[in-house]
C-alpha cells in the first residue's frame, strides 16, 4: 500500500457537475497539499493544510473548495469547472518539524477531464 | 517571488551517455529536493540537499547543491532507459510549508 492514496484515478465531468477528489495519507504526517499539474506548466501549489488548518490558498478560484477533516484526509470539492481546469491533481503530505522541514510524498494523482 | 528554473527543458540521449540537469534560482533555499516523475504517477523523491556545496550520490546519480544554496545540479552517468522521466527540483519558501517546483526536465533515454 502506498503512503498517499488518491481516488479516483481518473474523472471525467461536465462543467455543471459537482464531484470530489479524495486523498488519504498513512504516513503520520501533519501537512497535506493539493498541487495542479498541467501540460507545459510547472507544478502549481493550490492549497496547504497543517494540522487541519489551511495555511495557504494560492489564489485558487472558488470553484475549487478544499476540505481537511483531519491530518490524514484531504478532499478537493469541484463544481462548475471549466475545460482549462483539466489537469492532473496531485495530493502530497509531509512532516513539518519547525518551519521548513520534510520532503513531500505524493499520491499517484487524479486525472481530471472537464468537458 | 522565488522561482526555480530548470534546464534543459527536454533531453533525448542514447543509452550509456552522461548528462547534467540544472536547477537555478536567484533566491536562497534552505534545502532543495529532486524528484522523478514517470507517466501516470506522482513525483517520487530522489534526494534532499541541505548544506551549501553538498554532494550526494545515488548509484549513477550525483546531486550537488551550490555553495550559495541558490542552485543545484543532477548528473547521470551511463544513462539507462529506466532513467526516462520528468525530473523536478523543488524547495521550500521561507517561513512557510509552501514548496515550489521547478519547470522540469523531461528526459528520454533511448536503448
Amino acid at each position: 500500500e502506498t503512503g498517499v492514496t488518491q481516488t479516483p484515478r481518473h474523472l471525467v465531468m461536465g462543467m455543471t457537475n459537482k464531484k470530489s477528489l479524495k486523498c488519504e495519507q498513512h504516513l503520520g504526517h501533519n501537512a497535506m497539499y493539493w498541487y495542479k499539474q498541467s501540460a507545459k506548466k510547472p507544478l502549481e501549489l493550490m492549497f496547504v493544510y497543517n494540522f487541519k488548518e489551511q495555511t495557504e490558498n494560492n489564489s485558487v478560484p472558488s470553484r475549487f473548495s478544499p476540505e481537511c477533516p483531519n491530518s490524514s484526509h484531504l478532499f478537493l470539492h469541484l463544481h462548475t469547472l471549466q475545460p482549462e481546469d483539466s489537469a492532473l491533481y496531485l495530493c502530497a503530505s509531509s512532516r513539518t518539524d519547525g518551519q521548513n522541514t520534510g520532503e513531500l510524498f505524493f499520491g499517484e494523482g487524479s486525472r481530471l477531464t472537464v468537458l | 517571488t522565488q522561482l526555480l528554473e530548470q534546464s534543459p527543458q527536454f533531453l533525448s540521449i542514447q543509452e550509456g551517455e552522461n548528462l547534467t540537469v540544472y536547477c537555478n534560482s536567484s533566491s536562497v533555499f534552505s534545502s532543495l529536493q529532486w524528484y522523478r516523475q514517470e507517466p501516470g504517477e506522482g513525483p517520487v523523491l530522489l534526494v534532499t540537499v541541505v548544506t551549501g556545496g553538498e554532494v550526494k550520490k545515488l548509484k549513477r546519480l550525483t546531486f550537488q547543491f551550490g555553495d550559495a544554496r541558490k542552485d543545484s545540479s543532477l548528473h547521470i552517468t551511463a544513462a539507462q532507459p529506466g532513467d526516462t522521466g520528468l525530473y523536478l527540483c523543488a524547495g521550500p519558501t521561507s517561513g512557510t510549508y509552501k514548496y515550489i517546483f521547478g519547470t522540469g526536465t523531461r528526459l528520454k533515454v533511448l536503448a
Side-chain angles (χ1 to χ4, degrees):
Chain A
E1 183 185 87
T2 58
V4 180
T5 305
Q6 289 187 243
T7 55
R9 293 291 310 276
H10 300 273
L11 179 62
V12 179
M13 59 187 289
M15 288 190 285
T16 58
N17 290 160
K18 289 184 181 181
K19 297 286 184 183
S20 296
L21 306 181
K22 178 183 176 182
C23 177
E24 183 174 0
Q25 60 99 356
H26 311 278
L27 300 169
H29 292 164
N30 49 273
M32 296 189 77
Y33 310 74
W34 280 117
Y35 280 88
K36 176 183 178 183
Q37 188 173 37
S38 307
K40 301 179 183 178
K41 278 188 169 184
L43 273 166
E44 300 172 67
L45 179 65
M46 300 175 71
F47 301 103
V48 183
Y49 279 82
N50 190 37
F51 291 104
K52 304 189 301 178
E53 298 298 320
Q54 187 180 119
T55 60
E56 184 80 22
N57 177 338
N58 204 23
S59 302
V60 180
S62 60
R63 57 186 184 269
F64 294 92
S65 175
E67 180 190 357
C68 189
N70 54 62
S71 292
S72 298
H73 294 85
L74 184 64
F75 296 89
L76 188 62
H77 303 300
L78 317 168
H79 61 99
T80 58
L81 294 191
Q82 304 298 311
E84 59 265 29
D85 297 322
S86 298
L88 182 68
Y89 289 84
L90 290 160
C91 173
S93 69
S94 76
R95 290 177 55 190
T96 51
D97 304 314
Q99 295 215 327
N100 275 327
T101 61
E103 296 91 4
L104 293 171
F105 291 80
F106 284 88
E108 294 178 312
S110 293
R111 172 69 63 186
L112 173 66
T113 303
V114 182
L115 302 175
Chain B
T1 303
Q2 291 177 288
L3 292 173
L4 288 167
E5 296 284 344
Q6 287 185 241
S7 61
Q9 190 176 357
F10 298 98
L11 193 55
S12 181
I13 61 171
Q14 293 292 325
E15 182 177 3
E17 292 183 9
N18 302 333
L19 66 117
T20 302
V21 174
Y22 300 93
C23 174
N24 294 294
S25 177
S26 58
S27 306
V28 175
F29 283 86
S30 58
S31 65
L32 280 179
Q33 290 104 34
W34 284 93
Y35 293 80
R36 179 169 65 211
Q37 184 179 18
E38 299 184 18
E41 305 291 334
V44 175
L45 179 71
L46 296 173
V47 79
T48 299
V49 286
V50 179
T51 306
E54 180 178 8
V55 176
K56 280 192 174 179
K57 291 192 175 183
L58 185 66
K59 297 183 180 178
R60 293 175 294 100
L61 279 59
T62 301
F63 304 85
Q64 185 162 7
F65 200 11
D67 291 340
R69 290 185 290 128
K70 292 183 179 181
D71 56 270
S72 181
S73 64
L74 158 60
H75 181 79
I76 301 179
T77 303
Q80 298 178 1
D83 296 325
T84 294
L86 177 66
Y87 288 82
L88 298 161
C89 64
T93 57
S94 300
T96 73
Y97 311 115
K98 177 180 174 180
Y99 288 81
I100 61 168
F101 279 77
T103 46
T105 294
R106 195 166 296 280
L107 171 66
K108 186 169 186 177
V109 181
L110 304 170

